[in-house]
Amino acid sequence: MKFEIEKPTLKDISGIQDILKSEIDSGVVLYRSDDEVATNIRSYLIAKSEKKIIGVVALHIYSHELAEFRSMVIKKQFRGLGVGKSLIEKGFEVGKELGVKKFLVLTYKKEFFQKLEFSEIEKVAIPNSKIWADCVKCSSFPICDEIALIREF
């Protein structure tokens, strides 16, 4: 199966929202309005196959050396084909070009990220800006059952 990783445009917002919807509905991914996605469109990467979006991830910058991968979803029929790995590898490339040295993720897919050399960390190590910007929006807050992992370069 052939796919490309690319930066989305504002025209891709509805496709991004379509991919995220099932995981938002199940509580795995936080809801972000179209306006919030538009404001942060430069942080997203999409995977496309035959001109259709099959995967998405956002790389949110927190500081001069820390970024977080968030809102990663791959369409079910494309999982296990390297799409997620390719999105994360492209995110590393983009982040490193900006000077990012640490990449954080909060996830239920610990093993996936460990294969990409992420290491589990205690949640107390997560910057407060993350907690107050995003975590308070989560239905599980303050009892978070996601796993925090980080990869440093």
Side-chain angles (χ1 to χ4, degrees):
M1 196 251 336
K2 220 173 145 185
F3 62 88
E4 300 84 35
I5 306 298
E6 56 189 61
K7 297 291 282 175
T9 67
L10 296 171
K11 292 180 206 170
D12 292 311
I13 290 173
S14 65
I16 290 170
Q17 294 288 43
D18 288 345
I19 296 269
L20 296 175
K21 185 174 181 354
S22 66
E23 300 300 325
I24 291 167
D25 291 347
S26 67
V28 172
V29 173
L30 289 177
Y31 169 75
R32 304 202 190 273
S33 70
D34 286 353
D35 288 344
E36 191 174 358
V37 174
T39 299
N40 294 289
I41 196 72
R42 289 182 295 261
S43 71
Y44 285 87
L45 294 168
I46 56 175
K48 281 188 173 179
S49 179
E50 299 177 8
K51 299 184 182 182
K52 292 188 173 53
I53 299 173
I54 61 168
V56 63
V57 72
L59 181 66
H60 185 77
I61 307 296
Y62 281 105
S63 71
H64 68 281
E65 61 176 37
L66 177 69
E68 177 194 16
F69 285 111
R70 63 187 194 184
S71 301
M72 186 167 104
V73 178
I74 312 304
K75 276 191 169 184
K76 285 187 175 143
Q77 65 267 37
F78 296 100
R79 293 179 185 172
L81 301 174
V83 177
K85 179 181 179 185
S86 294
L87 282 166
I88 296 298
E89 287 174 345
K90 183 64 175 178
F92 285 148
E93 193 178 300
V94 169
K96 287 194 271 185
E97 284 175 10
L98 293 170
V100 174
K101 293 178 177 58
K102 298 176 186 176
F103 295 83
L104 171 72
V105 65
L106 282 167
T107 186
Y108 296 106
K109 306 286 186 191
K110 174 181 167 180
E111 295 79 17
F112 171 82
F113 287 98
Q114 286 178 322
K115 286 179 188 173
L116 296 172
E117 300 180 37
F118 281 78
S119 300
E120 190 171 346
I121 60 168
E122 294 293 324
K123 289 189 192 101
V124 295
I126 297 172
N128 284 338
S129 58
K130 162 67 178 165
I131 302 301
W132 296 113
D134 291 320
C135 295
V136 295
K137 298 176 189 174
C138 181
S139 60
S140 297
F141 185 78
I143 311 298
C144 179
D145 56 351
E146 288 186 300
I147 299 161
L149 297 108
I150 200 159
R151 177 153 177 205
E152 297 186 39
F153 287 90

